[in-house]
Amino acid sequence: MRRHAFVIITFSENWVSIDMAALEISDELLAILLPNIVFWVYCWLYMALGSSFDKYRLHPKEEQDEKNLVSKEDVIKGVLWQQLRQIITSIILFKVTGRNNDEALAGSQPSSFFVIARQFFAAMVVLDTYQYFLHRYMHQNKFLYRHFHSHHHRLVVPYTYGAIYNQPIEGFLFDIVGGSLSYVLSGMAARTSIFFFCFATMKNIDDHCGMMLPGNPFHLLRNNTAYHDFHHQHQGGKYNFSQPFFVFWDRLLGTYMPLSLEKRAEGGIQIRPAKRSD
């Protein structure tokens, strides 16, 4: 188990001491906690953007309260419960896999960049594949949509911290099972998973941020903010099921809807379906 040392600083009324007896934190603990910290920090960065960025919004900001069918307070509560379930499941997952125990690492060498990149890509494909078919079935099965997936679509106008607002069972199936499969099947170590799950967390937030900021590297992927935002709209519920990285399953199985972006007269950006080639 790899550990990271942190200096402990003690404060008193008249002095400050630095305790060099390090507080050790394992890769597994970082992989469990850091994505949740990144979630709220990245959400806050978007929320801190001023009105000068409104020209990049896909919806007027007031529509978050006018069109959405769930309060922001309830969304925050749901997200915190989801993160608690993720933490508990991650602890169990690392205990079961034991991939980074001390004995296994005794004679091991650090993974090469090529190996880590291959594991990253494999995890992305696994997560996309799992979530595409589950997501599409959640829409096609009226019972599952009504009782589970419709909770997430109460956010007609998505925003950052609504990214993981789900009905609890759906949240477990989508995010927790999907993330666990991507970790196990990719063969990545706990240290690599720190970066992968932080990356996936930021991508998911970006998909729901409702802003097409120029220079955003996530928008190099065709599966971007506008792509997923359209799926949240009433006319987009039968298209663009792919998430969170690629669009190849939508293209292969006929659920891909190309989009065009136009400036809205009153400010911001308007998403419109483009002509499909099929």
Side-chain angles (χ1 to χ4, degrees):
M1 182 181 294
R2 299 181 184 181
R3 297 182 180 275
H4 306 270
F6 294 84
V7 175
I8 303 175
I9 302 177
T10 305
F11 294 88
S12 184
E13 287 186 3
N14 301 316
W15 52 270
V16 177
S17 70
I18 299 178
D19 185 356
M20 296 308 294
L23 171 67
E24 294 185 337
I25 299 180
S26 68
D27 287 344
E28 290 88 346
L29 187 57
L30 283 177
I32 292 167
L33 297 180
L34 199 55
N36 294 297
I37 296 171
V38 166
F39 179 91
W40 290 109
V41 171
Y42 197 50
C43 285
W44 179 84
L45 290 176
Y46 267 112
M47 290 187 290
L49 295 177
S51 58
S52 60
F53 290 88
D54 286 351
K55 59 186 175 182
Y56 303 117
R57 292 188 181 277
L58 300 176
H59 308 273
K61 199 170 183 179
E62 56 270 17
E63 287 189 357
Q64 292 180 3
D65 296 319
E66 294 173 359
K67 291 188 175 182
N68 288 340
L69 306 176
V70 59
S71 70
K72 291 181 178 179
E73 292 77 11
D74 285 342
V75 170
I76 291 174
K77 291 176 185 177
V79 168
L80 291 173
W81 278 112
Q82 173 67 9
Q83 288 183 321
L84 177 61
R85 290 188 290 269
Q86 289 175 343
I87 289 171
I88 294 172
T89 306
S90 297
I91 293 171
I92 296 171
L93 178 66
F94 285 125
K95 287 289 185 182
V96 170
T97 59
R99 192 171 284 168
N100 268 28
N101 57 50
D102 292 330
E103 293 79 8
L105 289 175
S108 66
Q109 297 297 322
S111 298
S112 68
F113 175 80
F114 174 78
V115 171
I116 293 174
R118 175 175 54 79
Q119 291 171 340
F120 237 77
F121 181 73
M124 291 167 73
V125 172
V126 169
L127 187 58
D128 261 43
T129 300
Y130 173 81
Q131 291 202 349
Y132 173 84
F133 288 100
L134 180 60
H135 189 191
R136 184 173 178 177
Y137 188 61
M138 284 277 189
H139 274 269
Q140 292 175 333
N141 186 297
K142 293 182 179 180
F143 176 85
L144 293 178
Y145 184 83
R146 184 183 305 113
H147 294 282
F148 299 101
H149 192 52
S150 63
H151 285 245
H152 184 66
H153 278 270
R154 291 173 181 174
L155 295 173
V156 180
V157 179
Y159 48 80
T160 52
Y161 54 89
I164 58 172
Y165 171 72
N166 296 296
Q167 195 275 346
I169 294 176
E170 184 197 22
F172 177 81
L173 293 175
F174 258 95
D175 298 323
I176 295 175
V177 174
S180 299
L181 286 173
S182 64
Y183 169 73
V184 172
L185 296 180
S186 68
M188 63 175 55
R191 176 166 293 186
T192 304
S193 75
I194 298 171
F195 299 97
F196 175 73
F197 288 119
C198 286
F199 172 69
T201 295
M202 293 173 68
K203 177 61 172 65
N204 195 18
I205 291 169
D206 208 79
D207 288 346
H208 293 82
C209 72
M211 301 182 74
M212 291 295 289
L213 293 177
N216 186 336
F218 285 124
H219 293 171
L220 296 175
L221 298 170
R222 298 298 298 274
N223 195 331
N224 55 32
T225 308
Y227 189 85
H228 189 71
D229 190 279
F230 178 75
H231 173 76
H232 271 261
Q233 307 313 306
H234 296 301
Q235 73 270 30
K238 296 181 180 179
Y239 302 100
N240 297 4
F241 298 111
S242 291
Q243 59 183 55
F245 302 113
F246 308 115
V247 300
F248 63 87
W249 284 118
D250 275 322
R251 285 187 174 276
L252 287 172
L253 299 176
T255 53
Y256 175 79
M257 176 60 74
L259 304 169
S260 63
L261 301 179
E262 303 172 3
K263 288 186 178 180
R264 191 184 289 109
E266 61 273 22
I269 299 173
Q270 176 75 43
I271 304 174
R272 295 191 184 278
K275 186 177 180 180
R276 299 179 67 185
S277 58
D278 58 346

